Each structure stands twice: as C-alpha cells, then as structure tokens.
Amino acid sequence: MTPLTMPPRELERESATDERERAQRRLDDAVELKERSNARLDATRGTAAELDAYVQLNEAEEKVAARDRWIEWADAEDIVPPWPDFLPLHRLLG
C-alpha cells in the first residue's frame, strides 16, 4: 500500500511531541542494537559466526538510518512519512 492508496485516517499523525518521543525511543533502541551487533562482530572475527554477525550489523545500521529518517519526518511538516523505497530520492531532495 502506498501513501496515495492508504485511507486518510492511517496517514494522520500523532501530536508532534508524541511522534517525536516515540521516534527518539526507537532510534535509541536501534543505536543500542547496532552497538551490540558491532561488539558481536568484533568478538566473532575469524570464526564461522563472523558472516552472520556482519549481516546482523548491516541490518542494525539500516534500522538506525531508517529511525533517523523517521526523526527527520517527525520534526518536519510533511504528512506522508518517508518510505524506505524512496531513500535515494529522499537524500537527494534533502
């Protein structure tokens, strides 16, 4: 479902303060996960588990980037949230 086909009710935003707080909590959680994933990768270097740890770290980094974009959206006036498929365009347009 895209923003153009979503019911208007689903596009309504929470209050800016609530949305910002929720976005910040999610970003903090994602950063903690990234730190744990990075530590796991360091601990598994040279072992069979290194590839899994590397993949987990990449996923954690993507989650941090997505949560960061959500904070940007929560601070902005846009109605439609940033969609992951639009990341390159989102970064180009600022």
Side-chain angles (χ1 to χ4, degrees), residues 20-36 60 63-68 70-71:
R20 181 65 164 84
E21 288 173 1
R22 190 173 73 161
Q24 186 63 53
R25 281 193 311 271
R26 289 182 172 187
L27 176 60
D28 293 343
D29 291 345
V31 168
E32 288 177 21
L33 175 63
K34 179 183 169 194
E35 289 170 357
R36 287 192 310 269
K63 186 174 278 193
V64 168
R67 299 302 185 206
D68 185 49
W70 199 262
I71 292 250

Side-chain angles (χ1 to χ4, degrees), residues 20-69:
R20 181 65 164 84
E21 288 173 1
R22 190 173 73 161
Q24 186 63 53
R25 281 193 311 271
R26 289 182 172 187
L27 176 60
D28 293 343
D29 291 345
V31 168
E32 288 177 21
L33 175 63
K34 179 183 169 194
E35 289 170 357
R36 287 192 310 269
S37 298
N38 196 27
R40 179 176 178 233
L41 178 62
D42 289 342
T44 60
R45 292 232 187 254
T47 68
E50 183 177 5
L51 180 58
D52 288 337
Y54 177 78
V55 170
Q56 182 182 17
L57 176 59
N58 281 330
E59 290 172 356
E61 288 173 343
E62 288 178 14
K63 186 174 278 193
V64 168
R67 299 302 185 206
D68 185 49
R69 287 192 310 276

Side-chain angles (χ1 to χ4, degrees), residues 86-94:
F86 299 159
L87 175 60
L89 182 59
H90 171 77
R91 289 294 181 209
L92 287 174
L93 297 178

